[in-house]
Amino acid sequence: MTPKKILSLVSRFFGQSEPAHSADQPLLDSLLALAWVVEARDPYTGGHLWRVSRYASLLARQMGLSDRDAANVSVGGFVHDLGKIAIPDSVLLKTERLTDAEYAVIKTHPEIGKRLLAKHPFGERIADAVYAHHERPDGKGYPLGLTGNEITPMAAIIGICDAFDAMTSTRSYRKAMSIDDAFAVVRDNLGTQFNREYGEMFLKLGGSVNLYHIAGHSDEGIPLQHCHTCGPTIVVRSDTPLDAEVFCPACTTGYRFKGLFSTPRPTGNKANAADLAPSPDLALIERVAGQLRTLS
Ligand SMILES: [Fe+2]
């Protein structure tokens, strides 16, 4: 199936987050919805795309990029793992150590993302975020093993923000690292894993902006809700009603949502397949799309 066909199917499946403000709006929405599906497949990454997008946007501003470039970086952060849509669950969701063969499969996602974006009207603007966010200045990254300045600012920014969010998020096999500890890892790996100049700017950003309103959140002002067993994994939205039943996507335990800053109460239910079906947050997608639209 061609990327265009996939995008059109996704667009039809999810509908448009109307109103469409330009001819390109449904295309951009469908691209973001497709990226969101990647996130919906992995119970432990709830909010990852939004957080990477937010960190990247702040870093782009810190670096003095133009509004338009910062908007592109923000959208790039949201879409960077698009290619993971083609990675089988048996590999993507595996909690034990990956074999070399499985890791080789994971490493195909930048190339797949690049191919999915090849004919998309916005593809060129965010291609580096998708194709090169796992490159490293020391040449030990993938898919090409680029070095130093061969890695574009957009790819380098997303690389830092992606790693930072991975470190500060809970996974099935480990708890989230503190923000300060994650900064220390970035500091220790400047010039090797992370672009030195941009990494230093990220550390400076962390000294001036409170990133706790992004870490552990899945949207502006919306913290991840805690599952008693799995930790902060439950994503709620701006429109989730009080007393709604929400489910931990990792262990499927049901909880009664008691407000953003109250502990959710277990209901004793387990989610069925319909409860866990992906349903993209169109309000959030519309907001991210709006950043690019207003500046294009
Ligand atoms: Fe990735």
Side-chain angles (χ1 to χ4, degrees), residues 183-261:
F183 278 143
V185 174
V186 172
R187 195 174 297 115
D188 289 346
N189 290 281
L190 291 174
T192 50
Q193 183 177 355
F194 306 113
N195 178 292
R196 178 171 294 281
E197 189 188 345
Y198 308 149
E200 280 172 352
M201 286 193 196
F202 188 70
L203 296 172
K204 202 168 148 199
L205 175 75
S208 59
V209 177
N210 181 357
L211 298 180
Y212 279 95
H213 69 286
I214 302 175
H217 289 62
S218 56
D219 193 355
E220 209 71 60
I222 303 185
L224 288 164
Q225 302 289 299
H226 276 253
C227 165
H228 294 182
T229 312
C230 305
T233 56
I234 305 169
V235 173
V236 294
R237 304 170 174 191
S238 50
D239 60 357
T240 300
L242 217 54
D243 283 328
E245 188 172 30
V246 293
F247 297 92
C248 170
C251 70
T252 76
T253 301
Y255 289 89
R256 192 69 58 200
F257 174 56
K258 286 293 174 191
L260 292 175
F261 302 100

Side-chain angles (χ1 to χ4, degrees), residues 80-81 84 109 133-134 142 162:
H80 71 279
D81 266 342
K84 281 191 177 169
H109 77 272
H133 66 274
H134 287 293
Y142 63 89
D162 185 27

Side-chain angles (χ1 to χ4, degrees), residues 80-123:
H80 71 279
D81 266 342
L82 180 66
K84 281 191 177 169
I85 204 152
I87 306 298
D89 281 352
S90 59
V91 177
L92 188 66
L93 306 183
K94 188 173 175 185
T95 53
E96 302 88 51
R97 193 181 171 81
L98 296 177
T99 65
D100 287 350
E102 287 165 340
Y103 190 49
V105 172
I106 286 276
K107 285 163 80 174
T108 61
H109 77 272
E111 176 67 40
I112 293 166
K114 183 186 176 189
R115 275 189 271 139
L116 278 169
L117 277 176
K119 294 275 166 54
H120 195 280
F122 300 104

